Amino acid sequence: MRKLTIAGFALATALTAGCATTDQAAIDEAAANASSAEQTASNAMSTANSAAAAARSAQQTAEEALAAARAAQRSADEANERARRMLQRASQK
């Protein structure tokens, strides 16, 4: 009977150790998955920040191009007005 009790305790200990090992493996795997997810999120944030910086740069370039186009339009309007006055004076002579 004593041997049976000792064998029972040994079996219970072995099963508990096996479950603890399995639990620890699951915890380790979950921690690895969480770490991987954190790295993925960090990479995504870095990519988003880079995209935002590129968008700001593109917006600045577009604003500069628009300002240049407006200046060119003003110059063209002024040149057209000068040409109109010249034609008007020429037709009066």
Side-chain angles (χ1 to χ4, degrees):
M1 184 72 173
R2 186 171 177 217
K3 286 184 180 180
L4 188 57
T5 303
I6 292 172
F9 281 131
L11 180 61
T13 302
L15 285 174
T16 303
C19 289
T21 302
T22 302
D23 289 347
Q24 186 60 48
I27 289 169
D28 291 346
E29 184 177 353
N33 287 342
S35 178
S36 177
E38 183 179 12
Q39 183 61 47
T40 300
S42 177
N43 291 346
M45 181 61 86
S46 178
T47 301
N49 287 339
S50 294
R56 284 190 297 274
S57 178
Q59 181 180 7
Q60 180 65 33
T61 301
E63 288 171 355
E64 289 169 2
L66 181 58
R70 286 180 176 154
Q73 181 66 49
R74 280 191 301 275
S75 294
D77 290 345
E78 290 168 4
N80 284 338
E81 181 60 25
R82 283 192 304 271
R84 186 188 63 76
R85 285 193 304 252
M86 286 173 51
L87 285 173
Q88 190 176 34
R89 280 193 300 262
S91 68
Q92 290 174 354
K93 290 185 179 182

